[in-house]
Amino acid sequence: MKITALTTYLVAPRWCFLRIDTDEGLIGWGEPVVEGRAQTVAAAVAELSDHLVGANPMSIERHWQTLTKGGFYRGGPILSSAVAGIDQALWDITGKALGIPVWQLLGGAVRERIRMYGWIGGDRPDDVAAAALERKSQGYTAIKMNAAAELEPIDTPRATREIVERVAAVRAAVGEDFDIAVDFHGRLSMAMARRVLPLLEPYLPMFAEEPLVPELGDRLGEITGATSIPIATGERLYSRWDFAAALRAGIAVAQPDPSHAGGISEVRRIAALAETYGASLAPHCPLGPIALAAALQVGFATPNLLIQESSLGIHYNSGMDLLDYLLDPAVFDLRGGYVARPDGPGLGLTIDERAVARAAESGHRWRNPIWQRRDGSLAEW
């Protein structure tokens, strides 16, 4: 079997899908994208295709090594995301060729179902408590929320208390048998992290995500040592080498994104590395159905999985949502807060190719917002 073509599709709301064709008719799907840089990642996939057309798609590790290390310049979100989508598609083809799911190729399942969490916003809140209750009514037993809008390096007491009040309102609404994760998107300075996190401890968040920007990763240990809240990070880390320092700093939850961090192959290795530090895996995934399927395949074969993110209903999904490109959306059905193990071959998805083609005719140019502080300087989004 040989690869004959790689085709990318920019589809709403902000995703990039990849189709890899073979001379035996098998097709693999991947999701190579950096949010806001979809066109750039698609161009990187086209460049990498020179190494792949005519090659055996089942030589997954050989291709991963060549694509990540064969060039003189390595790493970074664009290359890692391009490789990630290719890697997902190659695992999909291999599973289909053998008639088994990817989790079986990874050594077999260690669990029957995976707990999921939904997202409720919070940086521009109207009623976060009501949003959390809606997720609870949908069957989720956990949510993630932003608790802060743009912040000053050392913000006012009022701004600090607003963060705490948002989390407190959600906790009061959902009760104690429900988990709340708080995502800071790197918006906290060191000073604000020291101030805010201890104030959130009474509400027992499942984790606090990315309190600091990745550039301050060498100071993560000061944060993990200053709060009882488990610290999570990883959506802007792209390899096991990137994660090594964060794990040494004592993070409790590693969050590689299967569409950014080298795909199934590298997320699997990051999970194993995290296990050696006693840390859990919770793959970052505010993206589309292919990325989620890849994350779940890894999760079913990973002993230290904590929980899995889903983008269903996230506010980014304007126009199209997680299930709209699938012929059988039941694969992601939520029961009691969990998704059941898929038994279909490869990634276990059946992509609606006509829907993908129609959406690609319009494409998208999604860009993240640019935020400013009160004095007009750039604020972290």
Side-chain angles (χ1 to χ4, degrees):
M1 182 165 50
K2 294 182 179 180
I3 296 170
T4 56
L6 290 82
T7 309
T8 51
Y9 304 85
L10 269 63
V11 298
R14 56 178 191 160
W15 305 332
C16 178
F17 291 172
L18 166 66
R19 169 177 167 151
I20 296 184
D21 286 271
T22 68
D23 60 355
E24 295 186 7
L26 287 176
I27 295 168
W29 289 92
E31 195 168 333
V33 67
V34 172
E35 301 91 305
R37 298 289 184 269
Q39 289 89 349
T40 312
V41 178
V45 170
E47 291 181 340
L48 294 174
S49 68
D50 294 345
H51 297 285
L52 296 167
V53 173
N56 180 355
M58 297 175 71
S59 299
I60 300 172
E61 185 60 26
R62 185 184 186 95
H63 295 317
W64 194 94
Q65 294 292 329
T66 299
L67 298 179
T68 59
K69 300 177 183 178
F72 183 74
Y73 297 99
R74 304 178 182 181
I78 301 302
L79 176 60
S80 295
S81 298
V83 171
I86 292 169
D87 184 81
Q88 293 165 9
L90 297 181
W91 281 103
D92 192 27
I93 290 170
T94 300
K96 290 172 178 175
L98 299 174
I100 57 177
V102 169
W103 56 257
Q104 191 72 65
L105 294 172
L106 296 175
V110 296
R111 56 181 48 82
E112 301 301 318
R113 56 185 187 162
I114 286 178
R115 190 183 183 201
M116 307 291 290
Y117 71 83
W119 196 89
I120 65 166
D123 49 18
R124 293 286 187 267
D126 44 18
D127 190 343
V128 288
L133 286 173
E134 181 179 2
R135 288 293 192 214
K136 190 173 184 178
S137 72
Q138 293 168 350
Y140 289 97
T141 62
I143 54 93
K144 186 168 75 178
M145 63 181 289
N146 288 130
E150 54 268 66
L151 292 170
E152 303 292 323
I154 302 177
D155 219 316
T156 63
R158 176 71 264 161
T160 301
R161 295 193 193 284
E162 284 177 354
I163 295 171
V164 179
E165 287 166 3
R166 288 171 193 157
V167 178
V170 174
R171 174 56 72 208
V174 299
E176 297 288 329
D177 294 323
F178 193 94
D179 276 312
I180 304 166
V182 183
D183 186 356
F184 286 102
H185 250 216
R187 294 169 191 165
L188 298 179
S189 64
M190 281 294 301
M192 286 299 289
R194 289 178 178 277
R195 175 176 287 180
V196 169
L197 291 173
L199 296 175
L200 294 178
E201 289 176 357
Y203 306 101
L204 298 174
M206 179 166 56
F207 55 76
E209 178 175 330
E210 207 177 33
L212 302 176
V213 292
E215 300 93 299
L216 296 179
D218 63 336
R219 302 196 67 185
L220 263 177
E222 299 174 47
I223 301 301
T224 60
T227 180
S228 64
I229 298 174
I231 299 299
T233 198
E235 69 184 272
R236 290 187 276 185
L237 304 177
Y238 311 116
S239 71
R240 74 202 95 150
W241 295 277
D242 289 348
F243 272 91
L247 290 163
R248 288 194 297 269
I251 64 167
V253 183
Q255 297 178 295
D257 189 305
S259 282
H260 299 333
I264 290 170
S265 296
E266 187 68 353
V267 170
R268 170 74 163 169
R269 289 187 280 256
I270 291 166
L273 177 64
E275 188 178 14
T276 68
Y277 284 88
S280 297
L281 180 76
H284 180 261
C285 193
L287 295 170
I290 303 168
L292 178 56
L296 289 170
Q297 294 290 335
V298 173
F300 278 107
T302 297
N304 54 323
L305 180 77
L306 175 67
I307 196 167
Q308 177 58 55
E309 178 175 21
S310 165
S311 78
L312 185 64
I314 199 170
H315 75 284
Y316 303 123
N317 294 357
S318 176
M320 299 292 280
D321 211 329
L322 181 72
L323 307 179
D324 293 339
Y325 294 106
L326 301 180
L327 290 176
D328 181 14
V331 67
F332 294 140
D333 279 357
L334 195 70
R335 297 183 180 89
Y338 290 78
V339 164
R341 193 179 66 204
D343 291 321
L347 294 178
L349 296 180
T350 306
I351 297 294
D352 186 341
E353 296 183 28
R354 291 184 179 180
V356 171
R358 285 195 303 269
E361 291 176 1
S362 300
H364 68 84
R365 288 186 68 84
W366 186 88
R367 299 292 184 264
N368 65 255
I370 302 297
W371 282 4
Q372 294 181 337
R373 297 192 179 109
R374 291 188 290 272
D375 65 0
S377 62
L378 184 69
E380 291 291 338
W381 172 75

